[in-house]
Structure formats: C-alpha cells, structure tokens
Amino acid sequence: MARARVSMQELIRRRRRAGFVGRREELRLFRANFELPPDDDRHRFLFHVHGPAGVGKTSLVREMAQLARDRGALVAYVDEGAIGVPEVLAEAAAHFAQQGRALKRLERALATHRQRSHEAAAAAVREPGPDTPSAGSAAAARAGVVGLGMVPVVGALAGAVDADRLALGADRLRARFRSQEDARLVLEPERALTPVFLEELAEAADTAPWLVLFFDTYERTAPFLDHWLPDVMTTDRYGGLPAHTVVVTAGQRPLDPVHWEGAADFAADLPLRPFTESEARELLTAKGVTEEPVVAEVLRLTGRLPVLVSTLAESGPAAPADVGDPSATAVERFLKWEQDPARRAAALSCALPRRLDEEVVRAATGEAAAIDPAELYAWLRTMPFVRTDRTGAARYHGVVRAPMLRLRRHAAPALWSAVHTRLAGLYERRRRALEEEIRGEPGRPWMHAEWRAVCVEELYHLLCAGPRAALPGVLRAGVDACRADTAVARAWARVVADAAEDTGAEHLRAWSDACRAALADERTGALAVLELLLSRPGLDEAGRVAAYNAHGLRLFHLGRLREALDSHGRAVALDPADPWGHHGLAVTHRALGAYETALRHLDAAEEAAPGAEWVARDRGETYRRMGRPEEALPWLDRAHALHPREPLTLGSRGQAKFTLGRAREALADLDRAIGLWPDYAWALTRRARVRQSLGDTAGALADLDRAEELDPDAAGIRGERGDVLRFTGRHEEAVAEYERALALDPGYAWAWGSRALSLEALGRTDEALASLDEALRTDPGYTWAREQRERILRHPESSVP
C-alpha cells in the first residue's frame, strides 16, 4: 500500500513541537480552560502572554494554537502584518478557510470594502459613480451622517461644521457611495465588517467546540486593536461574540488598563520570564548539549533567555571555550561558534535588512562577498535566530538583530551607511519596476500592497543610512500614504518608528510618537497626521502643497466639502500653478454642483499640466454630469487615446454614449471597462441598463447578479433589478426587489418612486400614491415623483404598463 505523503511544512512543524520545552504551567492553564464551560466563573475568555523580546512568546503561542486544534477548535492567527481591522478580519477568514470553514459573507464584504476603498480613492480624482437621483433629503442625510459619526471635527485646521454644510456634505457623500453601507465600508470599515464577522463566527460555533483567535506581536497592532478588540469582547456595539470563543494576545507589554478596564474578571495574565534553570537544561539536553561545564557557561551567558539558549545550543559546543568568554558581547555569543570569518561578517551585514531574500543578501554583503548569496541565504535560514514570517520572508529574531545592529552602527558607521544605501537602492529599483504597472495620481501606488511593501523598506533603509538627510523625503512620502487612508498611513508610520529604534535618532522618535498618537482613530487618523505634518517644520513648499491637497481629499471623503475647498485653496495660494490643487478644487466644486467653477479650475489644471490625461477625463466627466454628453465625449475620447486601458474613462464614456442613444457603442465601452476591471460594480449596473434597452433581459439580470455578489448590501443594485423587471412587465417581482432595496436604505427616494409605477400597473393605486408620498417625504425636491403623483390623481383609472 502506498505510504501517505507528508509535506515539508508538516515535518518542520512536528520537529518544532518536539523541540518545545518548558512553559508547562502556562499550557496547563490554557488546556484546563477547555474543560470549563463558558458560564463557569473560572473560565477565561482572554489569555494575554507578555514578556521581553526573545522570551519565547511566539513559540508558546504556536504551541497553544496546536493544543487548541487538537481539541477540535477552529483557530485564526494574526500578527503584525495586519495594518488595520479589515486586514485582521481578512487574515482570520483565510485561516478559517484553510480549516474548511469559509466565512463567505465576510469574504464578500471584504472584497466590497477593498473595491469601495479603491473607488473612493480614485473618485477623489476622477469621481466616477452612478448618476441616479439622491437617496435622501438633506435632513435625512444630516441625521444619517451624524449617527454614523462620519463628520468629526479633528485637529487645528478643522473648522466648525454648521448644520447646512453637514447636510450638504452628507447628501453628496450618500450620492457618491449609493448607500450608507458603502459609506461605512470606506469610512468606518470596522463598523460595517465586524457585525458580519461575528455573525459568521456564530454560525461557525455550531460546527466546532471552540473558536480561538490569536493576536501575536500585539505591541505592534495594539494602536488599533486596543480600540476594537475590547469592544468586540465586552460590548454589544457590533453584535454578540459566541461564548465558546477564546482570545489569545501576545506582546511585550501588559494590557493597557485604559482600554482593558476590568479585564481581570475574564482574562488570564501570562507574564513570561526567562527559562528556569531546569527548563533551559531540558532544552540543551534535547539539542545534545549535556557536558556540565558547557551547560553552565551557556546558562551564564544567555541569562536563560530562550532564543539565546536555543541559538548557542544549535552550535553543538563541546567545551566552554566554544561558547564564548565572559567578556564577549551579545553578538559574539551568537557567532562565537562560527569560525568562518566571511560567514561571521555576512551574518552581521544581513542583520541590517528587516527581511531577507537572495537579492537582499547580495545587496547587504556587497558584490565582492566571498560567499555565494544563494548559499549564504540557505545557511542563514537554518539558524535558530532566523524565522519566517507569514509572507514567507525570512528575518532575524529581534532579540538577536538588535545587538547586531548596535554593534555595526557603533563599530563601523561607514559600513552601516554603505549597506543601508545599497539596500535602499535595491528597493528603489524594485519600486520603479512595479511603478511601470501603476499610473495615475499622487498617492495611488500606496493602495497597492506589493508596491507599498517595497516602498516602506526603501524608506526604512534611507532613514537608517542618513536619518536627517532622508527625513524630508520620508515625510513627503507620508503625505501620499495619508492621501490613501489611515491603515496605509499606519504602515508608513511604522517605518519611522522602526528607524527611530534602530538608529537611536531622537528626532525620529519624536515624529514616531506623535504619529502613533495621531493614528489612534481609524476614521480620522490620516487626516490628523496630515495636520501634524502641516503644523511642524519638515516639509518643503512643494511638500506642503501636496499635504494641503491630501488634507482636502481626506476632508472630501468625510463629506466636509467646504473645508476641502479651503485646504485645496491653501495649496493653490502657495503654488498658483499647482495642477493638483486646481484639480481638487474642480472635483470638490463639481460635487457641490458648481460645474462652471469646476471647469474654470480644470482650465487652470490644463495650463499647469498641458495634455494630461486626467484633465481630459475630468473635463469629460464634468460635462457628463452637467447633462451635456455631446460635449463630454470629445474629452473622454482624448483621455482614452492617452490611456486606453483606464476602465473608469471607458465607463464614463459608455454612459455618455448611452445617454445619447448610442446603446451599441455604449455596450462596447462598458464591455471593455469590465474586461479591464472585472469587479467594476458601477459599470456592471450601467451595462445592465444598456442590455435591458437592447432587449437582453437575461444579460442585464446576470450583470446585476454579479454586481450584487461584489456588493451584497448595495440598495442601488436591487433598485436597478427592480427596473429591469418592471420594464419587462414582471411587476410583482419588481415590487419585491424595490422593497429589498428600501429595507437596506429607507431613504432611497428613487426606489419609492419606481415602486409606485409597478404598484400602479398592478392596480394598487392607493399603495402607489402612498409610495410616491414617501418618495416626496424623503426628498421634497423629487420633481419626477411629484409629476407622477399628479398624473395618477388626474387619471386614477389609468395604469402604467
């Protein structure tokens, strides 16, 4: 019989588990917790593992995770790779899926969040979107936005927001996002996504005895998790968390009592200290180190810190001299056993990058290195102080890397700068290669995870090579990161924090501390960092112009349009020829309905950036929104000629052609737009209209089905489906679709009006009039609904087919 194959990963996991020693009491407490029902007062819902770097927190967490799996639990593991709540939920969903329990609704909601965030970022520049009527009156929009907390007043540059401005911003924001849920997904993703996550966990709890959520390296994720996780566990803000859920956090510090007040009632605190002598001896015995003089020397030099005991044990020392003499530095303790001077030097150089691969090893050691980079990289990966993160990249353990960095920085400062400069150059080349695939406006590349991962490494090495010289450029990069969103700004701020720690530069530490405080609020963190950048010296004039424009964009996303105009105006005051300042003014004025003013600013942008594709696109989009599609088309044609693969230009042009009655051409443009961007939900709903007009009802419904998969909570898609069904005479089904839309968004005036026509066709005239009354109550300016109501009252016996 054929022997079952076992993967390399599984064999490595088995070896790691076999080599795990100590922490018996911590594991006993964790194991015993599964024997206690959740309603037992002794049951703990939270375990917090904490202790200094190198004390073995991650190893213990991995052992706890395996113990939980052995008990049949569904397990999710999240570490510092997550930069916000959406990434945390995505990691959890991925881990559950690997265990055969896909969180499908959450995955769809996350996909919609990513899409809506991308659309919102692009919309500030291009402002594509549906051209359906506003979904609510000013009063309703005002109340909705206040209820969502979407218009906070933050920072020195934020002015008071009066009720009229708030209402206008809310209306525009609702029109942009099509529903309150869209707005939440972009502006407050934790409020939109967490209830879905908890509902999915409740269903998963029916199929597994326990759910266990691990949050490792919590000191890195606490800035946002401390504002979210306690609420999830102790309040009803997001819904109920299944009682059979256990949470494990692991970080360097105890839980913050400000955020975790009263946690002693439900949490177990697990402080980790260095191994006891018996535990350290057990590990050494497992590694074959048993000679008492050698054991005594290892215990003395390592302070029984687990990562150091493991590192020295791996060398197989046969005599005390093989371990290191009492005066040896920490680095010597790690490398004393390595006699090859080339490898010793390479190991020190390879501590400088935060992540390793063969190219990074080559850059760190230099072209003249005596060892082949591939060979050296393979050797490093066998070292106990090198670990592999969740992305597959190798990196040094922090407790080993830190003294190596200090040694290199103090003993060889010129070499320190040279290596970091080479590494910055490597990442710059990688970044530029990726930029060949990314075109567009400032800040747009930051939305691409692969580009962002490369860029932050480049910035880190620039700061390490020259903290003062590189800071202005890094701050300028921070402006573009903040232009994207708070989670991206947080990834940028981590670079400043890490460089501050590794260089010891106090001016970097001051920036790091200030940014950390500013980024505490998920919704407004990026805005607060921009205000910090604008309130301190550090940016040159061009950087301040960019910061004011990014500040205006963030305000725009919050619906604070008048304030956004002020920020873009400040940018133009500093540089009257700044094209992006005029662009921001144009887009914001267009959102306010001031189309002629928008066109004047696009004229100024064209003068500053002649022939720019985005100017042509936005001019065409402005004419389209003005109801002048015949003037929009030449500009959209020009934009398309300059950038043929831009789906948003094709979508806008397709809609303009459809308005002009050129349905076949419109269909071709929308087909190409969706081909370039298959998840372009707006284009799918527009194509559904075109297909319906051409008699392709099945195709229209298929497009709307796909759009609903991408955005399951969008009321507008259900409204569009209602129209398709109404136009084909399927009025009962149409009424059901309109009512589904209204259940999602009761302020959807257009759906109230369209529903009335189907009710009238079914002979339910009184209900039709009531539906039109509701449309007008929701939006008193809805002229079409008023006309339909008057028509029915004049001819109550008629019906609409």
Side-chain angles (χ1 to χ4, degrees), residues 350 355-365 371-378 381 394 423 426 430:
C350 288
R355 286 173 173 74
L356 296 171
D357 58 41
E358 286 185 26
E359 286 185 337
V360 170
V361 167
R362 182 185 300 277
T365 55
I371 307 174
D372 177 70
E375 177 189 342
L376 180 58
Y377 180 56
R381 288 175 67 93
L423 289 164
L426 169 64
R430 290 182 176 182

Side-chain angles (χ1 to χ4, degrees), residues 509-799:
R509 194 177 305 280
W511 274 105
S512 170
D513 292 345
C515 288
R516 177 187 174 94
L519 287 164
D521 189 289
E522 189 76 28
R523 189 176 63 251
T524 60
L527 184 72
V529 171
L530 287 165
E531 293 173 359
L532 178 70
L533 290 167
L534 285 164
S535 67
R536 293 185 173 189
L539 293 173
D540 60 15
E541 184 170 288
R544 293 182 68 79
V545 169
Y548 276 122
N549 282 328
H551 189 261
L553 174 63
R554 301 315 313 163
L555 289 167
F556 186 96
H557 284 321
L558 290 169
R560 295 158 62 177
L561 302 187
R562 298 291 179 185
E563 294 169 85
L565 288 177
D566 181 66
S567 291
H568 291 304
R570 289 172 183 249
V572 171
L574 281 173
D575 181 5
D578 172 45
W580 294 109
H582 287 291
H583 176 267
L585 289 168
V587 170
T588 309
H589 278 298
R590 184 172 69 197
L592 289 166
Y595 297 116
E596 295 297 340
T597 305
L599 289 171
R600 285 197 297 273
H601 282 292
L602 287 172
D603 289 340
E606 171 73 22
E607 186 175 343
E613 171 261 342
W614 52 268
V615 175
R617 182 178 64 235
D618 274 304
R619 195 184 296 276
E621 179 67 9
T622 302
Y623 281 126
R624 187 185 74 80
R625 289 172 182 259
M626 293 171 74
R628 293 156 62 177
E630 67 286 345
E631 293 176 77
L633 276 180
W635 293 104
L636 293 170
D637 287 341
R638 181 182 301 182
H640 176 65
L642 292 167
H643 190 356
R645 296 184 58 79
E646 175 51 70
L648 295 175
T649 300
L650 285 164
S652 182
R653 191 173 74 166
Q655 183 64 18
K657 288 178 178 178
F658 181 59
T659 304
L660 290 169
R662 295 156 60 179
R664 291 288 179 189
E665 295 176 60
L667 182 63
D669 274 349
L670 290 165
D671 284 345
R672 292 176 65 190
I674 294 165
L676 290 165
W677 184 7
D679 293 343
Y680 191 0
W682 182 84
L684 285 162
T685 57
R686 301 284 78 71
R687 190 171 70 174
R689 283 189 180 185
V690 176
R691 284 181 160 176
Q692 170 61 32
S693 74
L694 294 171
D696 182 9
T697 301
L701 292 173
D703 276 347
L704 293 170
D705 288 342
R706 174 59 181 149
E708 189 171 341
E709 287 178 14
L710 294 167
D711 190 357
D713 299 319
I717 295 171
R718 288 165 169 84
E720 293 283 351
R721 185 182 283 110
D723 273 4
V724 171
L725 294 168
R726 178 167 61 85
F727 291 147
T728 56
R730 295 159 63 178
H731 293 291
E732 292 282 4
E733 295 172 77
V735 169
E737 286 299 326
Y738 291 133
E739 290 176 353
R740 289 176 67 200
L742 291 166
L744 290 166
D745 184 3
Y748 193 178
W750 176 54
W752 285 113
S754 297
R755 174 176 176 267
L757 296 187
S758 279
L759 288 169
E760 183 188 7
L762 292 167
R764 296 155 63 179
T765 305
D766 290 344
E767 292 177 70
L769 287 170
S771 195
L772 290 167
D773 287 343
E774 189 61 32
L776 289 167
R777 188 193 67 79
T778 302
D779 184 359
Y782 196 174
T783 304
W784 178 88
R786 193 174 307 280
E787 291 171 349
Q788 295 303 312
R789 186 177 185 279
E790 292 171 355
R791 177 187 58 78
I792 293 175
L793 288 172
R794 284 195 308 269
H795 307 287
E797 71 285 352
S798 66
S799 65

